[in-house]
Amino acid sequence: MNHLKQLYRTPVIGINALAAIARRLSSKVPPEPTWQEIDESKLPEPTKIDQDTIDQLERLALVDFANKEGIERLEAAIRFADQMFLVDTSGVEPMDSVLE
């Protein structure tokens, strides 16, 4: 019964406090977001998706890209992912797993 009394006296830590503790313990996570503007001229040409690719994506993903807005969103997502080409990976060994 004493352990229950002690359990109720234990202060509850809020989610913000837990997040702050986690940030301090994780040395690889910067305390503030770090980013800079991307030079669009360094990116590859924007991807234009042909109808055959759209049909195949619709079958595989069960998503309807049949309207212009859907296609524009898909092309914008690919354009966003193109930024990965600008990441300098020299000296970085490939991972065997994403859990490394």
Side-chain angles (χ1 to χ4, degrees), residues 44-83:
E45 289 295 315
T47 303
K48 295 294 177 197
I49 303 172
D50 62 1
Q51 189 59 46
D52 290 337
T53 305
I54 291 170
D55 293 340
Q56 185 176 13
L57 285 172
E58 286 178 335
R59 278 194 312 276
L60 293 172
L62 301 175
V63 176
D64 183 18
F65 295 111
N67 59 35
K68 185 174 177 153
E69 182 183 349
I71 295 170
E72 287 173 356
R73 280 186 155 182
L74 181 60
E75 289 175 345
I78 293 170
R79 187 70 176 162
F80 181 77
D82 282 343
Q83 296 176 32

Side-chain angles (χ1 to χ4, degrees), residues 24-44:
R24 274 189 238 125
L25 294 176
S26 177
S27 62
K28 294 181 181 181
V29 177
E32 296 294 322
T34 58
W35 63 276
Q36 52 188 318
E37 292 289 326
I38 298 293
D39 183 4
E40 293 276 331
S41 67
K42 293 182 179 179
L43 292 175

